[in-house]
Amino acid sequence: MDKPYLHVLSNPPLENPILVQGLSGFGNVGRIAAHLLIKFFDAKHFAELYSPTFPDYISITSKGIAYLPKYDFYYAPMEKNNLVIMSSEIQPPIDDVVAHYTACEEVLNFAESIGCKFVVTLGGVPITEDKTEIFVAATSNRLAADFMEKGAVIYSKGRIVGGTGLILALAKERNFDGVCLLGTTLGFKADHEAGFLVFKFLMKVLGKEVKEGLKEDIILEQ
């Protein structure tokens, strides 16, 4: 493999799709939130992206099956917009800037090809005190203000590393609208509470009710 490869498993009908991305990162918050979205909507796996810029290791399932690192895409129908949920346990190596740009451009190429014009990236932001907040960064002042009215705090004068931030900024260059939602987390270990809160906040924005008991059903594939 000498270039990224997109494997499309099916072609679901997508109307005004919104791309929602949740990757590994601080507290694994983005991936946990994305996993909950997939679980809530019973989203269907329909595409996967492979790339030589991804880490040079394979993963093994509990049954001993090997597979390459990849980005997985799922679709979930909604009344007004379909969700295209992208999730993965990996990102390119943190110090390989070109790899990050390449992967993000491939994701946006695919998103554009299926009609996405709005992106939501999910992630975590490390803090030193136990304080629960949802931060937002956006592609426009209008969107930042809109999400602030919904209860988020403006994420100002900071940096968002990896695909969580890069997808948002590259999407803006393509005239996409978009937001990044960051849940506060104390460390690098999986923070299920922060992931649930980011998920719950996004569901509120989407007009969906979430039962508190769903938090206990978080199960991540190892």
Side-chain angles (χ1 to χ4, degrees):
M1 185 190 304
D2 60 355
K3 61 182 179 180
Y5 169 65
L6 182 71
H7 183 204
V8 177
L9 306 171
S10 64
N11 293 289
L14 297 171
E15 295 185 15
N16 302 316
I18 297 171
L19 175 67
V20 181
Q21 173 190 274
L23 298 175
S24 59
F26 293 117
N28 219 16
V29 174
R31 186 169 178 243
I32 291 171
H35 176 82
L36 284 170
L37 281 172
I38 293 165
K39 186 178 183 71
F40 182 91
F41 288 106
D42 191 23
K44 307 303 181 186
H45 187 213
F46 78 104
E48 47 199 23
L49 177 67
Y50 299 89
S51 174
T53 66
F54 289 164
D56 60 345
Y57 60 79
I58 63 171
S59 295
I60 309 296
T61 69
S62 60
K63 296 181 179 180
I65 306 301
Y67 63 92
L68 288 169
K70 60 180 178 173
Y71 287 170
D72 290 301
F73 295 84
Y74 301 80
Y75 75 93
M78 291 181 60
E79 292 81 3
K80 295 182 179 180
N81 300 91
N82 297 138
L83 295 184
V84 173
I85 306 162
M86 192 205 95
S87 183
S88 180
E89 64 183 12
I90 59 97
Q91 291 201 55
I94 193 169
D95 58 346
D96 193 337
V97 177
V98 174
H100 275 283
Y101 271 84
T102 299
C104 291
E105 289 286 6
E106 288 297 325
V107 170
L108 289 173
N109 287 342
F110 180 52
E112 201 163 31
S113 74
I114 59 177
C116 288
K117 293 300 292 180
F118 197 104
V119 300
V120 179
T121 67
L122 310 174
V125 57
I127 56 172
T128 57
E129 57 183 12
D130 192 2
K131 188 176 183 180
T132 301
E133 288 183 311
I134 302 294
F135 286 96
V136 63
T139 56
S140 69
N141 291 330
R142 174 185 59 82
L143 279 171
D146 185 33
F147 275 73
M148 185 173 65
E149 289 178 1
K150 290 177 170 64
V153 178
I154 297 296
Y155 188 66
S156 61
K157 297 182 180 180
R159 294 180 178 179
I160 306 173
V161 300
T164 305
L166 198 54
I167 281 281
L168 183 69
L170 289 174
K172 183 175 183 291
E173 294 299 310
R174 296 184 182 219
N175 295 316
F176 282 50
D177 287 327
V179 296
C180 174
L181 301 176
L182 300 170
T184 52
T185 180
L186 290 173
F188 287 90
K189 68 178 183 179
D191 191 335
H192 290 184
E193 185 73 27
F196 178 77
L197 290 175
V198 170
F199 159 75
K200 189 176 181 180
F201 180 84
L202 178 57
M203 292 297 287
K204 181 179 74 170
V205 172
L206 294 172
K208 296 289 184 180
E209 182 181 357
V210 177
K211 294 181 179 179
E212 196 71 21
L214 184 63
K215 179 169 55 176
E216 307 304 323
D217 294 335
I218 299 173
I219 302 173
L220 289 178
E221 295 181 4
Q222 300 300 317

